[in-house]
Amino acid sequence: MGMISEFKEFVSRGNVVDLAVGVVIGAAFGKIVSSLVDGIVMPLVGLMMGGVKFSDLAVTLRAAEVDAAGKEIVPALLLKYGAFLQTAIDFLIIAFVIFLFLKAYNRVRAPAPEAATPEDIVLLREIRDALKK
């Protein structure tokens, strides 16, 4: 079997197509959640914390160097922890929503509970097991 035909077989399997669809939907979902966090959640959290904009939170490790005319020669060195906090909140929201989705999916997909075995079948099984001994 040639490499091209093997590749066609590999790509045409349901798993690969399902994975590709999942990746595309996941990327789109990530953009939606990032937009939600950037545009709605973080401004509300910043407002509750006194008007702080999280993406601007940083610690100055080294101040900017300026010349006599006030022009910046060397930019300031900043530790931007606000962007990290925002990304961490993005992750937590995405993980929580995926958890809820999978929980609902598993509940819908759960197999129906087995019906009780009729008593005559149970008795026949007991007889069979006793005869095996």
Side-chain angles (χ1 to χ4, degrees), residues 101-120:
F101 174 77
L102 289 176
K103 188 172 179 170
Y105 176 76
N106 288 335
R107 187 178 309 136
V108 168
R109 197 159 180 236
E114 291 184 24
T117 307
E119 186 154 338
D120 58 341

Side-chain angles (χ1 to χ4, degrees), residues 1 3 9 19 47 49-50 57 63-64 69-70 77-78 108 111 117 120:
M1 182 186 296
M3 184 178 274
E9 182 183 334
L19 178 62
L47 182 65
M49 295 184 70
L57 292 177
L77 181 60
L78 302 173
V108 168
T117 307
D120 58 341

Side-chain angles (χ1 to χ4, degrees), residues 34-108:
S34 293
S35 175
L36 171 74
V37 170
D38 293 343
I40 296 173
V41 174
M42 295 311 285
L44 292 174
V45 171
L47 182 65
M48 289 187 294
M49 295 184 70
V52 176
K53 185 175 178 187
F54 271 80
S55 59
D56 293 340
L57 292 177
V59 173
T60 303
L61 300 175
R62 183 186 68 216
E65 294 179 20
V66 294
D67 61 8
K71 183 178 177 185
E72 187 176 73
I73 300 171
V74 178
L77 181 60
L78 302 173
L79 182 67
K80 298 180 177 183
Y81 66 92
F84 172 75
L85 288 175
Q86 193 159 349
T87 304
I89 291 172
D90 274 356
F91 170 77
L92 290 174
I93 291 173
I94 290 171
F96 183 69
V97 170
I98 289 173
F99 167 76
L100 291 176
F101 174 77
L102 289 176
K103 188 172 179 170
Y105 176 76
N106 288 335
R107 187 178 309 136
V108 168

